[in-house]
Amino acid sequence: MKMLSLKVWKGIIILTVVFMFFTTYGLFDKGVDNKVNNNYSEENWKSDTTPIVFDWYIDFSWFQTKWGINPVSKYVTDKTGVSLNLITPSGDETEKLNSMIETGKLPDFITLSAQSDGYKKIIQNGLALPLDKLSEQYDAYFMKVADKQKLEWYREGDGHIYCYPNFSSPVTDFNNFKEEKPSNQAFLVRKDIYEALGKPDMRTPEGFLNALERAKKEFHMSDGQELIPLGFHEFNESGNLSLDSILPNFLAVPREENGLVYDKDTDNEYIRWLKTLRMANEKGLLSREIFVDKRAQIEEKITEGRYFAMLYQSSDMSAQQLELYSRDKNKAYIAIDGPSNSKLDPPKLAGDSISGWTVTLISKSCKNPMRAMRFLSYLISEEGNKDLYLGIKGSTWDVIYGKEQFKPEVVDLLNKDRIAFDNKYGAASTYWMLEDGDLVQKWTPDNEEAIKMISDWARGKTYNYSLFDNVYTYDDSEEGVAFSRISTKWGSTLKKLLIAKNEEEFNSILNEFIIYRKEQGWDNLQKYAQQKYEENKKKLNVLR
């Protein structure tokens, strides 16, 4: 064998030393050492529970609960080593998020609405780490605990998955939804006033307006404050949840017709009810406050029982409902049959969809992607859901009558004072960012009567609209830009429609909007939506 020259030997020695240096100090691929132990069945978060703090941005200004202030969050930190610095915007959510995207530096975790374009902007700007790659590199266990349908739903065009949803339900039935999880969309009235008025039928425009008029006249002042005849969710730059989503579902406006995505904004039944609301304003039944109030102000007014009727998501007012009920159950809100189409068809309300309520991403700026990925896997697993929902055995829950459930005193506080419960215990969806709504059903206590009398009304009226999720886009494509402009135009148009002086002005404003959206490429947008609808059917293996 030919001997190696001294020069070659020196080169080999130098390369060996360099390799050992880079390996020792982790300057090669961070995942090299971890791939050896990256077992599909292994709960990798258990392999490192040294203390670490992650910054977690939650894009909802109303969420104010901190981490580490209650036993459940402390328990999770003791168990995993992970502490969270929860960050929420102090002002406008869109401005805060856009500002972070512009800097290119985001907190370790980001949770945003699954219905907005925020999370898509983060992905498009290359600011999120692909969860499938992180799983491959650091934590194969993620692929064991993650739902496959949810992963495929959020797989991007580049083949990667950048986010994971909460309160997302895999689709099995597109008609009647699960009875144990009825919709949270409701038409609510204050029980005492509604009964004093003789329980009027509010399904027709005439009955609706008459009931609002009588409520304002006969109960002008309530507990020393002026009664607000009708309440909605807050108005934003693209419209209003109550009017853009809940109202069409109460009217059973179809999502598709003859296989084509349907345009609800020009539906005759929908326009009929927008004109009814315009008439309500003309009669002085729409308070100016409903156009400007944010969620905090709305919640305060609900707690005071200021609204007679509300088109609202019941889950967004449950804490206020419990407080009202504890003070005087007759002044709490009940759900009744609200606005209906001219045939008086029952509503088709939205339940949980495959998209979920929010999505969570791990940012490219994350200080420790390995720990972040493993913590995310823990959170979406049954163990993580149980820890955050039930809390600590013997403290918040125990096995009672053969079932894992909250202790009586814990349920009692949960049903009486949600805010006090969050502070004292921190269980039962206090930290909802990656909660699996289906998974926690087995631990969910029976609703207190204050909540039950609302949720029971929605049973049998709940449908799954997953096929129509994300058929429009907010991205930087031609379609996305057009839809963003049209949405902003609709946000200002909706208010103008409601305060129009007469029906002629209403028609003029609506026609102006229809012309505007056509100029912005509405026909192409409808073709795009149809294409996405067909893609959704393939993703969810639905033949229609």
Side-chain angles (χ1 to χ4, degrees):
M1 176 182 280
K2 191 174 181 179
M3 295 293 292
L4 294 174
S5 68
L6 181 61
K7 188 175 182 179
V8 172
W9 271 114
K10 284 182 178 179
I12 292 173
I13 291 170
I14 290 171
L15 285 173
T16 301
V17 171
V18 169
F19 178 80
M20 290 176 67
F21 173 82
F22 274 74
T23 302
T24 302
Y25 290 94
L27 298 180
F28 281 138
D29 182 357
K30 292 180 182 178
V32 169
D33 291 337
N34 296 293
K35 285 182 179 177
V36 176
N37 299 316
N38 194 7
N39 189 292
Y40 180 82
S41 299
E42 186 177 341
E43 297 164 301
N44 292 306
W45 62 268
K46 293 181 178 179
S47 63
D48 184 358
T49 57
T50 55
I52 187 171
V53 179
F54 284 120
D55 295 326
W56 192 317
Y57 176 75
I58 300 171
D59 196 41
F60 298 93
S61 57
W62 52 263
F63 182 77
Q64 295 298 316
T65 307
K66 299 302 180 184
W67 186 270
I69 64 169
N70 48 55
V72 169
S73 58
K74 291 176 182 176
Y75 171 68
V76 171
T77 292
D78 290 343
K79 186 173 186 176
T80 65
V82 177
S83 296
L84 299 176
N85 173 33
L86 300 180
I87 305 164
T88 55
S90 56
D92 183 81
E93 287 93 343
T94 303
E95 288 182 10
K96 174 68 175 176
L97 183 61
N98 287 340
S99 175
M100 289 194 298
I101 291 174
E102 284 175 14
T103 65
K105 293 183 178 180
L106 279 74
D108 304 293
F109 289 91
I110 313 103
T111 295
L112 308 110
S113 169
Q115 283 72 47
S116 74
D117 63 330
Y119 81 92
K120 296 174 185 175
K121 285 182 179 178
I122 291 174
I123 295 170
Q124 289 155 9
N125 281 275
L127 298 175
L129 295 173
L131 302 183
D132 54 312
K133 295 296 288 183
L134 289 177
S135 174
E136 179 184 325
Q137 188 172 10
Y138 300 127
D139 189 33
Y141 183 65
F142 171 74
M143 288 299 178
K144 179 179 181 179
V145 294
D147 182 88
K148 303 304 179 286
Q149 193 179 76
K150 296 174 188 178
L151 293 179
E152 288 308 311
W153 183 255
Y154 278 104
R155 192 178 295 278
E156 294 292 321
D158 62 4
H160 295 303
I161 302 153
Y162 295 89
C163 59
Y164 199 79
N166 73 347
F167 297 103
S168 162
S169 283
V171 179
T172 55
D173 184 359
F174 285 93
N175 295 310
N176 286 305
F177 200 55
K178 296 178 180 178
E179 282 294 295
E180 67 268 21
K181 290 183 65 183
S183 174
N184 67 356
Q185 297 183 337
F187 181 64
L188 305 165
V189 290
R190 219 179 87 174
K191 184 175 183 291
D192 58 340
I193 298 177
Y194 180 68
E195 291 179 348
L197 295 175
K199 299 182 179 180
D201 186 343
M202 299 182 70
R203 294 178 298 168
T204 66
E206 298 76 22
F208 182 85
L209 291 172
N210 183 55
L212 294 184
E213 280 190 284
R214 288 185 59 202
K216 181 178 181 181
K217 181 179 179 181
E218 297 174 32
F219 298 89
H220 179 64
M221 299 298 289
S222 176
D223 295 329
Q225 298 190 81
E226 188 174 349
L227 185 75
I228 301 171
L230 184 62
F232 303 130
H233 281 274
E234 66 181 82
F235 283 84
N236 56 43
E237 65 176 11
S238 60
N240 184 293
L241 176 63
S242 299
L243 302 178
D244 296 333
S245 174
I246 302 177
L247 178 59
N249 291 341
F250 262 85
L251 305 179
V253 174
R255 298 295 182 95
E256 60 90 18
E257 197 170 69
N258 299 321
L260 299 178
V261 175
Y262 186 69
D263 175 18
K264 75 166 179 62
D265 289 342
T266 55
D267 178 80
N268 290 333
E269 299 287 354
Y270 183 55
I271 298 303
R272 174 173 172 254
W273 272 92
L274 288 184
K275 287 183 176 181
T276 299
L277 294 173
R278 186 214 68 78
M279 179 61 71
N281 185 66
E282 184 179 321
K283 291 174 175 289
L285 302 173
L286 297 188
S287 167
R288 291 291 171 264
E289 295 172 64
I290 69 173
F291 293 101
V292 296
D293 279 350
K294 296 300 181 184
R295 178 161 171 164
Q297 287 77 45
I298 294 170
E299 288 179 350
E300 182 180 351
K301 289 180 170 68
I302 296 173
T303 304
E304 296 167 344
R306 293 280 305 281
Y307 301 103
F308 162 56
M310 299 183 73
L311 201 56
Y312 212 72
Q313 290 189 152
S314 58
S315 59
D316 289 349
M317 51 82 71
S318 57
Q320 293 73 37
Q321 170 76 348
L322 288 169
E323 186 170 339
L324 274 170
Y325 193 84
S326 67
R327 291 203 310 262
D328 186 343
K329 63 182 181 181
N330 289 314
K331 290 185 179 180
Y333 288 92
I334 58 173
I336 65 167
D337 294 338
S340 302
N341 61 33
S342 39
K343 294 180 181 178
L344 298 182
D345 291 327
K348 292 187 174 181
L349 308 177
D352 288 351
S353 73
I354 188 68
S355 293
W357 172 36
T358 67
V359 291
T360 293
L361 309 89
I362 297 176
S363 82
K364 206 168 186 178
S365 306
C366 181
K367 63 174 68 72
N368 190 325
M370 180 182 72
R371 289 289 298 278
M373 186 66 218
R374 292 177 173 181
F375 186 59
L376 187 148
S377 294
Y378 158 75
L379 291 176
I380 69 171
S381 70
E382 180 164 348
E383 182 177 2
N385 268 266
K386 183 177 179 180
D387 288 344
L388 279 177
Y389 192 86
L390 274 184
I392 310 157
K393 185 176 182 180
S395 175
T396 53
W397 70 274
D398 222 320
V399 178
I400 305 171
Y401 301 119
K403 179 184 176 183
E404 296 177 333
Q405 56 184 298
F406 287 123
K407 297 171 75 173
E409 64 271 20
V410 177
V411 176
D412 186 58
L413 184 59
L414 174 63
N415 288 333
K416 285 183 177 177
D417 191 332
R418 179 73 222 203
I419 296 172
F421 175 91
D422 290 350
N423 291 330
K424 184 171 182 178
Y425 298 116
S429 308
T430 299
Y431 303 104
W432 41 260
M433 294 84 80
L434 283 167
E435 182 171 319
D436 186 324
D438 292 330
L439 192 55
V440 302
Q441 279 295 304
K442 58 187 172 184
W443 305 307
T444 303
D446 292 335
N447 283 328
E448 178 73 7
E449 182 59 28
I451 305 299
K452 190 173 184 292
M453 62 189 186
I454 294 176
S455 61
D456 280 355
W457 174 87
R459 295 187 190 281
K461 305 178 182 74
T462 304
Y463 291 77
N464 192 307
Y465 290 115
S466 293
L467 286 176
F468 306 93
D469 284 359
N470 304 324
V471 294
Y472 296 105
T473 181
Y474 289 90
D475 62 20
D476 294 332
S477 65
E478 182 180 338
E479 293 84 4
V481 171
F483 186 65
S484 180
R485 288 174 179 166
I486 291 170
S487 296
T488 301
K489 179 70 172 178
W490 174 251
S492 59
T493 297
L494 181 59
K495 287 184 180 181
K496 291 177 182 178
L497 290 173
L498 298 185
I499 62 175
K501 294 178 182 178
N502 49 49
E503 190 167 323
E504 182 181 1
E505 184 178 335
F506 179 102
N507 291 335
S508 175
I509 293 168
L510 182 61
N511 288 334
E512 179 190 335
F513 170 72
I514 292 172
I515 291 170
Y516 175 84
R517 72 176 193 175
K518 188 171 183 63
E519 292 172 346
Q520 294 298 318
W522 179 250
D523 291 340
N524 286 334
L525 266 180
Q526 285 299 87
K527 291 177 183 176
Y528 176 88
Q530 187 66 32
Q531 177 188 333
K532 291 298 179 183
Y533 171 57
E534 299 298 336
E535 289 176 7
N536 285 351
K537 288 197 289 186
K538 289 180 181 178
K539 275 185 179 182
L540 299 174
N541 195 28
V542 174
L543 297 176
R544 268 187 165 178

